[in-house]
Amino acid sequence: MSVRTFDLPDLGEGLTEGEVISWDVAVGDTVAVDQIIAVVETAKAQVDLPCPFAGTVTTLHAQAGEVVDVGKPLISVEVAGTSSADTALVEDATERSTATQERMDEERAGSGNVLIGYGTSEAKRGRRRRVGRRPSSSAPAGAPAAEMALTLSEDDATPEPSAPSPVSTEGTSAADASTRGGRDEPGSRPGEAVRVISPLVRRLAREYGLDLFSVTPTAPGGIITRRDVEAARAARDDSGAGSSGESRRAAESVTSVASDATGPSAGGTTPTTATTGLRDERVPLTGIRRTIADRLSRSRSEIPDATTWVDVDATGLRSLKDDLAATVPDARIGYLALLARIVVAGLARFPELNASVDTEAGEIVRKGVVNLSLAAQGPRGLVVPVVHGASAMSTEQLSAAIRDVTGRARAGTLSPAEMTGGTFTLNNYGVYGVDGSTPIINHPEAGMLGVGRIVDKPWVVDGALAVRPVTQLSLSFDHRVCDGGVAGGFLRYVADCVERPGALLAGL
């Protein structure tokens, strides 16, 4: 009998740490080779971690919610004997951890080639996440917070409706739990914080009088989405529980005010006032939120960025989209795909923006291919999927690739490789009903184009006032790679193509 310790391996792309989301085993359990023992979340993805050997679990070296460095002990297992297969697996995991130590040191020094919201930071973090206590049924979990996320829709800049998934309600019984094999959803175990990313989801749950612990998550990783909350409310209303609709709404209002005024709740909050609904609160900066903060801070501190913008008449772009929908409807080429095609063509004319800066070598590195990044909102927060080789694709191929990566970004199923290697970012914040922004550059790229909503506005056409669909284009660029003349030329070219898409033909 001997005790083997499995160290957290490198989970890809030189990541240096991972957060234990949940354990699938406990001390005393018997495990087999390749059995999933834990769910670990990195800055890029959630990973089911298999055990490399068989035996009895003796020690869990981290609790759920704790951040573990790559190469540090994760689990210890007592094995009866050491087979050649077990030995090979252990040696392989050990060699991977050793081989990545140098890359870990480089990442901690801030030298990684990473995307906004991803990668590693300079400081070593070993603190544990503060885990909230499960609230009572009369005090819904969560609190309002201000957050602006950038979301993409691959077609007409409008979110696609989806049918709600089945959810559990406040009346969930023990029999319901037994149908899941006695295993709770991640994040719903006693002592663990409910897994909600969006403040909007928490606010809606509070307004509806729903206990988030009673809502069954449908997104990967046990994350509760707005769709889950809406479906839970609909299921509760359809069940006929309670009195009339007016009485129910009044009860929900009373519940919301009461929960706000009943003293501190999870996350170190203080009582709220019934008149404002505001509360003093400290929210741990952990997981994806922390890595996003690190990358945005790095971009702001390292890149001397500047922003320029222009309003454009999108009548020509709208007409082109309608023509394509009539002639090749199966291609489903929407505004986003057309804008992506225009951006790729613009980067071919102004390659200075398809670049990055190597500060160590003191060089500007221009890229020979356009890997187009797309800011999108996923269940874990802001993600930036990449369409690799966009410059070699037809418009139809580009449209299909965008639908694929943005769809999987919203589902939370992107791999780390699909979120790295971008050379320029296209950001469509018009889906939020806003006109303009000053985008933060997606480090280490050199530029980001933001697109606002398309809305009818007064516009002068041939000396006469008319009503036209207008959008605003905003370009943030790294002033180290080019001057304002290049940036202005790129933005003007994109604007001209939006107004007169036929200009694209000149480059073919």
Side-chain angles (χ1 to χ4, degrees):
M1 303 287 286
S2 61
V3 176
R4 297 274 188 172
T5 298
F6 178 42
D7 297 335
L8 181 66
D10 174 29
L11 300 175
E13 299 293 332
L15 298 173
T16 65
E17 64 183 17
E19 179 184 344
V20 179
I21 298 301
S22 62
W23 284 102
D24 290 351
V25 296
V27 173
D29 287 354
T30 300
V31 295
V33 174
D34 285 339
Q35 177 181 335
I36 301 301
I37 55 174
V39 177
V40 177
E41 182 178 69
T42 71
K44 298 180 181 178
Q46 282 191 356
V47 179
D48 291 330
L49 203 62
C51 187
F53 35 75
T56 302
V57 177
T58 60
T59 307
L60 302 180
H61 294 280
Q63 301 298 320
E66 187 171 352
V67 176
V68 181
D69 287 336
V70 169
K72 297 298 182 181
L74 183 67
I75 187 173
S76 294
V77 177
E78 184 179 55
V79 296
T82 306
S83 67
S84 58
D86 291 341
T87 301
L89 286 169
V90 174
E91 289 177 351
D92 177 66
T94 303
E95 288 173 1
R96 288 186 67 195
S97 298
T98 302
T100 58
Q101 188 61 46
E102 181 178 347
R103 279 193 295 167
M104 290 167 56
D105 294 338
E106 293 175 355
E107 292 285 346
R108 290 194 178 99
S111 63
N113 182 14
V114 294
L115 286 176
I116 246 177
Y118 299 99
T120 57
S121 62
E122 300 178 16
K124 177 180 179 180
R125 299 179 177 87
R127 60 183 174 84
R128 292 178 57 183
R129 170 188 286 179
R130 290 186 294 172
V131 179
R133 301 175 63 86
R134 175 173 177 146
S136 65
S137 59
S138 63
E147 177 175 307
M148 184 66 172
L150 304 179
T151 309
L152 285 178
S153 175
E154 68 275 13
D155 288 319
D156 298 335
T158 55
E160 294 182 358
S162 301
S165 302
V167 296
S168 64
T169 62
E170 294 168 308
T172 303
S173 64
D176 295 330
S178 66
T179 63
R180 297 192 298 266
R183 177 177 169 182
D184 292 331
E185 292 288 344
S188 62
R189 300 175 181 176
E192 286 190 9
V194 65
R195 296 192 59 73
V196 177
I197 289 176
S198 171
L200 173 62
V201 173
R202 292 187 181 277
R203 178 172 63 80
L204 286 177
R206 189 175 66 255
E207 291 176 354
Y208 296 162
L210 289 174
D211 179 1
L212 284 171
F213 280 92
S214 71
V215 179
T216 299
T218 58
I223 295 170
I224 296 175
T225 64
R226 178 176 181 174
R227 183 189 310 167
D228 300 331
V229 172
E230 296 284 3
R233 183 199 189 195
R236 182 192 61 188
D237 293 345
D238 291 343
S239 67
S243 58
S244 66
E246 292 183 0
S247 300
R248 183 182 297 112
R249 285 192 294 272
E252 290 173 2
S253 176
V254 171
T255 301
S256 176
V257 173
S259 65
D260 285 343
T262 53
S265 62
T269 62
T270 59
T272 67
T273 61
T275 56
T276 65
L278 300 176
R279 68 179 70 205
D280 293 332
E281 183 178 24
R282 285 180 175 267
V283 180
L285 194 61
T286 58
I288 188 65
R289 194 71 253 163
R290 184 187 69 199
T291 54
I292 289 174
D294 289 343
R295 298 345 298 171
L296 293 175
S297 298
R298 181 178 181 184
S299 179
R300 277 296 194 209
S301 63
E302 290 187 10
I303 298 177
D305 61 325
T307 301
T308 182
W309 58 90
V310 64
D311 291 339
V312 297
D313 178 0
T315 302
L317 187 69
R318 175 179 290 179
S319 297
L320 176 61
K321 174 186 170 297
D322 292 343
D323 289 344
L324 290 172
T327 55
V328 283
D330 293 340
R332 297 171 58 195
I333 299 173
Y335 286 124
L336 186 58
L338 293 175
L339 288 167
R341 166 55 58 215
I342 294 171
V343 167
V344 169
L347 292 173
R349 282 177 171 255
F350 299 91
E352 295 91 339
L353 289 167
N354 194 50
S356 62
V357 176
D358 186 341
T359 55
E360 294 289 334
E363 297 174 342
I364 296 174
V365 183
R366 293 180 182 171
K367 310 300 175 62
V369 64
V370 176
N371 296 328
L372 190 63
S373 302
L374 302 161
Q377 180 71 17
R380 298 172 60 237
L382 178 65
V383 292
V384 189
V386 180
V387 176
H388 290 271
S391 50
M393 295 182 180
S394 67
T395 303
E396 187 172 347
Q397 291 171 334
L398 190 56
S399 177
I402 290 173
R403 284 198 304 274
D404 176 49
V405 296
T406 56
R408 287 189 291 114
R410 287 192 294 270
T413 58
L414 289 170
S415 68
E418 292 171 313
M419 295 184 286
T420 56
T423 61
F424 189 92
T425 297
L426 173 60
N427 188 352
N428 176 19
Y429 42 73
V431 293
Y432 283 102
V434 297
D435 296 321
S437 175
T438 55
I440 298 178
I441 294 175
N442 186 5
H443 186 280
E445 298 170 6
M448 175 184 289
L449 180 73
V451 183
R453 61 176 179 167
I454 299 178
V455 60
D456 287 343
K457 291 183 178 181
W459 196 262
V460 176
V461 182
D462 297 329
L465 192 62
V467 176
R468 291 295 182 95
V470 176
T471 187
Q472 185 179 97
L473 306 176
S474 303
L475 173 67
S476 287
F477 64 98
D478 187 340
H479 230 312
R480 296 173 298 178
V481 304
C482 69
D483 295 325
V486 171
F490 171 82
L491 185 59
R492 188 63 256 172
Y493 174 80
V494 172
D496 289 342
C497 288
V498 169
E499 293 183 336
R500 302 175 183 84
L504 285 170
L505 297 176
L508 297 180

